[in-house]
Structure formats: structure tokens, C-alpha cells
């Protein structure tokens, strides 16, 4: 009897993920060479004895399309949290189209449009690389989620928008492929056709944005058919159309919402992924938060940043 119990306990110890001794590993790969620049991705994963295909969380860093790096230390909490939860976390490079450019305005928007196009193209290239190497990296291609901060958030929202509308920019990806979910930390969509509309239903989307953000518009900035449509405007449109989304509106907080939720709202991000992406719940959720203890600097503007 004792030997039988010992055998059962040993099996539980061996097969339970709570008892697996594992470390997060990081590997770096070149996924494209463009304009003479090697574009790399870092893949964070948890070594384990399991071979089941894993969901993939792609991350696009922030920095106004003029700076930033894929491996900045303040992203590590975000990367490690989801790697420990069984995700392949992939942080990518992209070309910085706003380097040495003046602050964008509604009249001077061509450099920004070009920067967004470059970043989206590079995200698509990274996605294509992951699809081609899915078996090698043990990735479930039906569960590829894109997330980003600031410029990266603009990139991921724009990428899903253009893919769902069958834009030529997305032709590098299989027509049957769609991103499973989108997570935006202070992002927006640039549209040349007025209010963004979707031919196909967008991926379930998680928005975080501060109502005091003056760098990436919380609502919208529009001149005729051209405009940047922020989280507030997009969430309103999603609700009207019945698209699944969760919107965390941080009252009187500025652009720092591009960063701190990646440390302070990790369980909420995970809950969104589990319920809205994996379990496909069709929810439309608006959450207004007022943190009386958090002081915010809402003076950051495109003019001061660039």
C-alpha cells in the first residue's frame, strides 16, 4: 500500500506543472532584413516537459516611432509573467520611421503615416516568420495575440484593422490567418477614410488609455477624412457594431498608461485573454477607473516629445 501511494505521489509530482523545475529562456532570431537593417525578435519561453502547442503573445515596443528597444528592462515583468503562464512571448524590432522627424500634426502627417506603415509591415513580417517556424517554436497559430505600448499599440491596432479589411499591406500573411486578439496600451488607428470600419469583425481587443493623454489621442483628431482615432472613439465604435472588447479608461491620467498596466494590471490582461480570446466570450466592457493616489504628468505633447 505504501509503495502504491508513493508511486501515485511520484506521478503527480512528475506530471503536475506546479512541480516542474523550469526557467524562462530567451532566444534571439533574425526574422527579416530591410533597408540594410537586421530585424530581430526575442522569444521568451518556459522550459518544460510538455510538448503541447503554446499560445503566442507578440509585443511591439513604444517610443514614438523614433526610439525604444524590444528588450528594454521595464518590459521584463510583462514578458516573464506570460512566459510563466505558458505563452511564447515574442518581442520584435521594427524600423523607426519618425527618427529625426518633426512633431506630427493634422497638416504634417505624412512622416507619421509612413512610420506606421513601416511598423505594421515589420509586424506582418515577424508574424509570417512565426507562422513558418510554428512547429520549431511550438506555437499554436490559432492563438497568436498582438500587443503593444504607445507606438507599438498604434501598430497592433493598425495591423488588425488592415488585416481585417484585406489591405494590400497584409498580403504577406495567409488570407485565412487572423490575429486571435489585440492588446493596446495607449494606442490609436490612423485612418484616411474617416471613422475606421471593418470588413471582417476585428479580433477581441483590450484597450488601456488615459483620458489626459495628449501624445496619443484618447478620443480622436480628425481633419476631413484623415484622422487618428484613439481608444475612446474605437471602443464607442466597437460597442455600436457589437464587436467584443474591454476598455480600461484611466481618468485624468496621461501617457504613462502606455507602461504601468504592464506591471499593475497583469491579472486583468490574462483574464481578458482567457475569457475573451480563448473562451470567445462576446462581451463589451467599459471600465472607468479613478486612482486618487496616482499623480500624473499630462503635459507631454507631440510638440514637446519630438
Amino acid at each position: 500500500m505504501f509503495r502504491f501511494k508513493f508511486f501515485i505521489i511520484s506521478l503527480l509530482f512528475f506530471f503536475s506543472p506546479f512541480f516542474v523545475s523550469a526557467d524562462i529562456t530567451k532566444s534571439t532570431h533574425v526574422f527579416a532584413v530591410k533597408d540594410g537593417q537586421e530585424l530581430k525578435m526575442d522569444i521568451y519561453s518556459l522550459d518544460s516537459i510538455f510538448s503541447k502547442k503554446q499560445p503566442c503573445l507578440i509585443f511591439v515596443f513604444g517610443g514614438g516611432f523614433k526610439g525604444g528597444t524590444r528588450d528594454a528592462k521595464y518590459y521584463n515583468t510583462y514578458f516573464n509573467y506570460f512566459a510563466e503562464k505558458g505563452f511564447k512571448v515574442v518581442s520584435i524590432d521594427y524600423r523607426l520611421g519618425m527618427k529625426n522627424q518633426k512633431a506630427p500634426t493634422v497638416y504634417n502627417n505624412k512622416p507619421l503615416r509612413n512610420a506606421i506603415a513601416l511598423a505594421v509591415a515589420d509586424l506582418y513580417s515577424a508574424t509570417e516568420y512565426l507562422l513558418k517556424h510554428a512547429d520549431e517554436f511550438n506555437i499554436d497559430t490559432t492563438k497568436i495575440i498582438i500587443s503593444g505600448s504607445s507606438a507599438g499599440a498604434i501598430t497592433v491596432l493598425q495591423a488588425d484593422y488592415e488585416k481585417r479589411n484585406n489591405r494590400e499591406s497584409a498580403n504577406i500573411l495567409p488570407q485565412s490567418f487572423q490575429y486571435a486578439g489585440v492588446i493596446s496600451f495607449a494606442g490609436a488607428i490612423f485612418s484616411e477614410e474617416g471613422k475606421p470600419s471593418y470588413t471582417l469583425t476585428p479580433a477581441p481587443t483590450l484597450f488601456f488609455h488615459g483620458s489626459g493623454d495628449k501624445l496619443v489621442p484618447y478620443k480622436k483628431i480628425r481633419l476631413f477624412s484623415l484622422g487618428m482615432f484613439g481608444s475612446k472613439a474605437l471602443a464607442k465604435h466597437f460597442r455600436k457594431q457589437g464587436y467584443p472588447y474591454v476598455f480600461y479608461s484611466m481618468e485624468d491620467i496621461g501617457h504613462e498608461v502606455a507602461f504601468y498596466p504592464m506591471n499593475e494590471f497583469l491579472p486583468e490582461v490574462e483574464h481578458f485573454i482567457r475569457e475573451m480570446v480563448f473562451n470567445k466570450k462576446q462581451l463589451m466592457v467599459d471600465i472607468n477607473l479613478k486612482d486618487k493616489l496616482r499623480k500624473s504628468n499630462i503635459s507631454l505633447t507631440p510638440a514637446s516629445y519630438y
Side-chain angles (χ1 to χ4, degrees):
M1 187 65 176
F2 174 79
R3 293 177 63 186
F4 177 76
K5 287 183 177 179
F6 180 79
F7 175 72
I8 295 298
I9 292 171
S10 298
L11 283 178
L12 289 173
F13 184 91
F14 185 75
F15 287 107
S16 172
F18 298 106
F19 292 103
V20 173
S21 176
D23 296 312
I24 294 173
T25 62
K26 172 184 168 183
S27 59
T28 302
H29 310 263
V30 176
F31 67 84
V33 179
K34 299 183 181 183
D35 300 329
Q37 177 183 349
E38 283 190 341
L39 299 176
K40 299 179 180 180
M41 61 170 61
D42 295 327
I43 302 180
Y44 299 80
S45 60
L46 187 65
D47 290 340
S48 73
I49 60 172
F50 302 104
S51 59
K52 184 178 178 181
K53 296 285 187 182
Q54 295 174 274
C56 177
L57 179 63
I58 300 175
F59 179 74
V60 186
F61 63 82
F65 298 105
K66 69 167 186 170
T69 60
R70 70 179 189 278
D71 55 356
K73 289 183 179 179
Y74 45 79
Y75 299 134
N76 284 345
T77 300
Y78 184 69
F79 297 161
N80 292 339
Y81 181 92
F82 284 101
E84 289 172 354
K85 297 291 182 178
F87 289 73
K88 294 285 184 178
V89 180
V90 182
S91 185
I92 70 166
D93 282 337
Y94 60 94
R95 289 166 292 171
L96 302 175
M98 284 298 292
K99 222 174 207 181
N100 304 318
Q101 296 290 334
K102 294 180 180 180
T105 67
V106 290
Y107 301 104
N108 175 38
N109 58 66
K110 188 174 180 180
L112 178 61
R113 290 160 60 186
N114 177 65
I116 294 172
L118 290 175
V120 169
D122 295 344
L123 172 55
Y124 286 157
S125 293
T127 305
E128 180 197 31
Y129 181 87
L130 292 171
L131 292 174
K132 286 183 176 179
H133 295 269
D135 289 337
E136 175 187 346
F137 297 142
N138 205 35
I139 289 172
D140 183 342
T141 58
T142 68
K143 294 180 179 178
I144 295 180
I145 300 161
I146 47 177
S147 67
S149 165
S150 189
I154 294 172
T155 302
V156 299
L157 287 170
Q158 194 81 27
D160 190 60
Y161 170 65
E162 295 186 14
K163 184 69 175 72
R164 301 283 169 167
N165 285 305
N166 300 309
R167 298 288 175 81
E168 185 178 350
S169 58
N171 286 347
I172 189 175
L173 298 177
Q175 189 171 7
S176 60
F177 171 81
Q178 297 291 351
Y179 294 109
V182 179
I183 301 168
S184 165
F185 300 101
I189 286 176
F190 184 88
S191 173
E192 301 178 48
E193 302 164 351
K195 180 172 61 179
S197 61
Y198 292 81
T199 302
L200 300 176
T201 299
T205 302
L206 174 59
F207 301 97
F208 286 90
H209 217 135
S211 67
D213 195 335
K214 296 177 182 177
L215 188 59
V216 177
Y218 171 75
K219 294 181 180 178
K220 62 185 175 183
I221 299 174
R222 182 173 180 175
L223 178 67
F224 302 115
S225 61
L226 294 177
M228 285 290 289
F229 294 81
S231 303
K232 180 70 172 179
L234 294 174
K236 182 179 179 180
H237 181 63
F238 273 43
R239 177 168 285 274
K240 184 177 180 180
Q241 298 298 320
Y243 301 148
Y245 74 93
V246 176
F247 175 34
Y248 282 86
S249 175
M250 311 308 205
E251 187 176 342
D252 299 326
I253 302 295
H255 194 63
E256 60 265 42
V257 175
F259 304 102
Y260 77 78
M262 284 186 282
N263 288 284
E264 299 180 25
F265 284 80
L266 291 171
E268 289 81 1
V269 176
E270 183 188 2
H271 184 265
F272 164 80
I273 294 173
R274 302 289 182 193
E275 295 299 299
M276 303 280 284
V277 179
F278 296 167
N279 295 334
K280 301 185 184 302
K281 289 190 175 179
Q282 298 294 295
L283 304 177
M284 295 178 291
V285 182
D286 292 278
I287 300 170
N288 295 303
L289 292 178
K290 173 69 174 178
D291 186 346
K292 295 172 69 176
L293 299 179
R294 184 181 292 277
K295 294 183 179 180
S296 177
N297 177 10
I298 60 173
S299 63
L300 186 64
T301 66
S304 63
Y305 185 77
Y306 290 94

